[in-house]
Every structure is written in C-alpha cells, then in structure tokens.
Amino acid sequence: MRSQKTRAFLRITSLILQIAIVSLALAGVAIAQRANKRSIEKQMFGKMPDGTAVDIYTLRNASGVEAKITNYGGIVVSLKVPDRNGKFDDVVLGYDNLDGYLKNNSPYMGALIGRYANRIAKGTFKLNGTEYHLAVNNGANHLHGGLKGFDKVVWTAAPLRVANGAALKLTYVSKDGEENYPGKLTATVIYTLTDANELRIDYSATTDKRTIVNLTSHSYFNLAGQGNGDILKHQLFINANRFTPTDAGAIPTGELRSVSGTPFDFMTATEIGARIEQDEQQLKFGNGYDHNFVLNKQGKRLTLAASVYELTTGRAMQVSTTEPGLQFYSGNFLDGSITGKEGKVYQRRYGFCLEAQHYPDSPNHPEFPSVVLNPGQRYTQTTIYKFSAK
Ligand code: GLA
C-alpha cells in the first residue's frame, strides 16, 4: 500500500512533468512561428538594355526586418529596420526601380564593388613582371573596378536555405582580361539577413591566374531613414588608431598616420559633423571624410570595426569585418542631383558609407596587406552590419 505522502508526491511529479511537456511544446510552436516569418520572395525588377531580365529578392527575418536585393550589381535596394519604438524605416539610399540605377550613373549606391574596390594609382600595377593598365575613371586613377565593375553586371542569384535567417547567393564569373584584370575570377557573395537583425555578407573568389582582388559593399546609410536629412549628427566610433592619409587624388601616400589629435580620431564616438569643416589638409583633399582607416586588429579575425548611433530614432549599427581596412565616406559628392526612392532628394552628406576592404592602391604598396590571389587559393571576406535600437 502506497502511503498518502507517496501518492501526493507522485501526483505533483506527474503534474510538473505535464507542465514541462506543454511548455516545451509551446516553445517549439513559438520557434516554428518565428521561423515561419522568415521568407525570401523573387519579383521582376526590370530589364537590361539587351533584354536580360533582372530580379529583386525580398528577404525577411523572424522579426520582420526586410532587405531587398537585386541581382543587378548585387545592390541592396532597401533595408527596413525598427527604431526604438518599433517603427520600421528604410535606412539605405537607392532608386525605386532598375531604370533608376541604369540611367543615372548611380554613385555605387548599395552595390557590390569589384574586382578592386577603391583606387589604384593611374590605373597601373605590376604582377609577375607584367604591367597592367586599368580604366582611369576617377581623375587620374582607377576606381571601383573600372567602367563596368561588379556593380554594373548581372549576377546569377539563388535563394539559400540557412538555419538562422533568409539568404541569397550571388555568383559572377568575370572573364580573363575583363576590365583588363588578369585571370578568370569566379566570385560568390552570400547575403544573409539573420534573425539577430544582421545583414551578413560573405564574399569568396577563386582565379585561374595570379591576380588582385578587393571586394566590398557600398551602401549609403542614414539611420534616421533614407532622405531624412544629413548624417552629420550620427555618432560614429571607428576602431582604428591609424588611417592612411592621401594625396590630392585620394591615393594613400603610404604613411599610416596616428589619428590622435586629428579630426580622424573616432576612437571615442563623435558626431560625424563635429570636425568635418575643420581647416585640415586631409579633410580638404577628401571634401570631408573619404579615407581608409587602419583597423585595430591582428590577422583575419571577424572583429568590430565601427558603430554608429542616431539619437532621434535610437537606431544603432555595428560593423564587424575580417578586413584590415574601412573606408569611411561621408557622402560628400551627393549634391541634390539624385532623386531617389519615394521621391526623396539626396543632398550633400545625406548618407555615409563604411566600406570594409583592403587599403586603397595596395597593389602599388608592397608594405600594405596583400591583395594578390593565386590559383588554388580562395579569397574570402565577411562583413556584418548589425542593427539595433536603444
Ligand atoms: C567611394 C569613393 C568616393 C566616391 C564614392 C562614389 O567610396 O571613395 O570618393 O567616389 O565612392 O561617389
């Protein structure tokens, strides 16, 4: 005969077990519901002049953050993230449709940049004793891959199944000699919109001949919402004790200069506009900030490169990367001549770019981290833009 105590004990134990099972089931349902909110949808974005169809993919994560990405130039067309009150806003500059990008010579808004992001002096570099001549499309220098860089080609796109969000894989095969770069370069870029509100970009590339490669992403951010004023009050931290000062044509002199005591010191978060008009030679050369920062790090680890905070909305963005450098561009050349999404006019400094990359003109600076890729090797880079609000 079981005692009364034992029976009571058994009843309580079975009750606890039942509660545990129900809670587990409910948690499972909640996880499944979150997962169900993840989605990726494909729509037609427009046609290239030669009739090639271009698509736009809408990626959504479990909390409703949404990114629209087209396979033309791998461009991030829009990115909607919540503010501190849960209000969603589009925080990147761009155009409403493909024609906007095709007809207006977009200043690389949201695009993937390759084969070589940033500048190469006089468009010239040497590899294996051969001198290569690239398009000179920025003053006397080569910029962002040339006349038809990776921002202006149609990539092959395919949705990818991932456990932590929605992902899109883009592939582009650049022919040997394209834009005068040596070697056939096969590039893939995976965009993942994670459930942690990150836009994660994983790049990789292989070649069949010794070549150079430096890929990046060129989104113009405005955490107050695209078209909602300039970015001068955004507070910026850049994890760099040094930057690469340039000549008047934005080519690094080779010096790694300490930021200390200069308007380039963002080791303490500072408003972008606080010192931008100072009478300082580097700011004059850049028309504001348009410089590569030497990130504080060792090796290729994924580390924090920068963070940005916008006071009125509470939106914050953290940038982490495996790259050694970060180009901070304060949108100095925007001048009101672009009417972007929803009829918004982009005036000077209405967006800022944080482009994770190798240093500009590295092929001509053997002392800089190398951008050479050999057959049999794989180039990789990962950069994460993480959004939050406080
Ligand atoms: C870059 C360059 C800038 C400018 C923009 C596009 O990031 O560094 O000088 O050319 O692209 O306008």
Side-chain angles (χ1 to χ4, degrees):
M1 275 282 282
R2 285 178 182 164
S3 73
Q4 243 178 352
K5 260 191 187 166
T6 317
R7 250 179 280 146
F9 172 76
L10 280 175
R11 227 177 286 137
I12 289 171
T13 317
S14 111
L15 200 68
I16 291 174
L17 264 174
Q18 281 172 37
I19 291 172
I21 289 168
V22 170
S23 319
L24 271 176
L26 283 177
V29 169
I31 289 170
Q33 274 174 347
R34 257 173 78 78
N36 278 342
K37 284 196 188 152
R38 290 182 201 132
S39 63
I40 178 157
E41 258 167 58
K42 171 177 152 179
Q43 277 172 311
M44 171 120 178
F45 195 42
K47 277 199 168 121
M48 296 295 287
D50 71 0
T52 306
V54 171
D55 298 313
I56 186 159
Y57 291 82
T58 305
L59 283 66
R60 271 189 209 92
N61 74 0
S63 46
V65 167
E66 180 201 280
K68 284 186 187 279
I69 299 169
T70 171
N71 60 326
Y72 174 72
I75 293 171
V76 178
V77 173
S78 74
L79 182 58
K80 291 183 181 150
V81 300
D83 70 3
R84 64 163 76 88
N85 300 316
K87 180 179 172 280
F88 283 74
D89 233 322
D90 185 357
V91 294
V92 294
L93 276 50
Y95 291 106
D96 286 315
N97 50 45
L98 181 63
D99 265 6
Y101 293 94
L102 292 178
K103 295 199 174 130
N104 293 302
N105 198 19
S106 157
Y108 310 96
M109 288 191 293
L112 295 175
I113 308 294
R115 293 187 187 192
Y116 195 92
N118 218 313
R119 293 170 180 80
I120 295 177
K122 301 188 177 72
T124 303
F125 69 98
K126 265 198 194 132
L127 206 58
N128 290 346
T130 307
E131 194 169 273
Y132 291 93
H133 296 277
L134 309 170
V136 166
N137 57 339
N138 185 250
N141 305 313
H142 177 79
L143 177 69
H144 292 337
L147 300 179
K148 193 177 174 190
F150 286 6
D151 58 303
K152 294 183 185 66
V153 300
V154 178
W155 295 62
T156 304
L160 256 196
R161 262 185 178 280
V162 290
N164 62 336
L168 182 71
K169 180 179 181 181
L170 299 172
T171 307
Y172 179 67
V173 180
S174 174
K175 289 194 296 268
D176 184 12
E178 190 171 296
E179 287 291 326
N180 282 354
Y181 287 95
K184 170 176 141 187
L185 191 82
T186 304
T188 67
V189 173
I190 297 172
Y191 279 109
T192 310
L193 185 62
T194 75
D195 291 342
N197 295 354
E198 301 162 322
L199 183 65
R200 176 183 173 118
I201 315 176
D202 292 288
Y203 308 74
S204 101
T206 54
T207 184
D208 65 354
K209 265 186 208 159
R210 194 170 163 85
T211 191
I212 57 166
V213 59
N214 184 30
L215 306 180
T216 195
S217 149
H218 207 297
S219 282
Y220 290 70
F221 297 98
N222 187 330
L223 298 182
Q226 65 100 16
N228 285 343
D230 66 47
I231 46 76
L232 296 174
K233 288 227 167 331
H234 283 55
Q235 292 164 17
L236 173 67
F237 159 79
I238 304 181
N239 188 12
N241 290 329
R242 294 171 300 171
F243 74 110
T244 50
T246 70
D247 66 13
I251 298 293
T253 58
E255 180 190 351
L256 306 184
R257 185 180 293 173
S258 166
V259 296
S260 149
T262 79
F264 292 82
D265 188 351
F266 287 96
M267 282 299 288
T268 311
T270 308
E271 283 183 6
I272 291 174
R275 300 159 300 184
I276 202 166
E277 299 299 349
Q278 274 184 22
D279 187 15
E280 199 269 349
Q281 190 188 44
Q282 285 301 313
L283 288 173
K284 297 261 175 274
F285 283 168
N287 245 297
Y289 295 101
D290 194 355
H291 292 79
N292 168 65
F293 287 73
V294 175
L295 295 174
N296 295 332
K297 74 196 299 172
Q298 266 162 3
K300 265 205 75 141
R301 268 181 311 144
L302 186 63
T303 50
L304 182 69
S307 60
V308 192
Y309 179 64
E310 204 283 315
L311 195 70
T312 65
T313 58
R315 286 199 187 93
M317 180 175 84
Q318 278 187 340
V319 186
S320 308
T321 187
T322 55
E323 290 301 277
L326 186 76
Q327 181 84 5
F328 165 43
Y329 170 53
S330 50
N332 312 308
F333 300 117
L334 297 173
D335 59 3
S337 61
I338 293 177
T339 300
K341 289 178 285 187
E342 296 174 346
K344 295 280 171 85
V345 175
Y346 301 147
Q347 303 289 354
R348 187 159 194 236
R349 299 180 177 152
Y350 264 39
F352 65 90
C353 303
L354 292 171
E355 307 156 56
Q357 56 189 231
H358 274 61
Y359 311 162
D361 200 29
S362 291
N364 295 309
H365 286 277
E367 73 277 19
F368 288 174
S370 172
V371 290
V372 173
L373 182 69
N374 293 304
Q377 291 178 330
R378 179 176 292 275
Y379 161 92
T380 58
Q381 93 107 313
T382 296
T383 298
I384 299 176
Y385 297 91
K386 182 180 168 68
F387 297 87
S388 57
K390 52 192 172 195

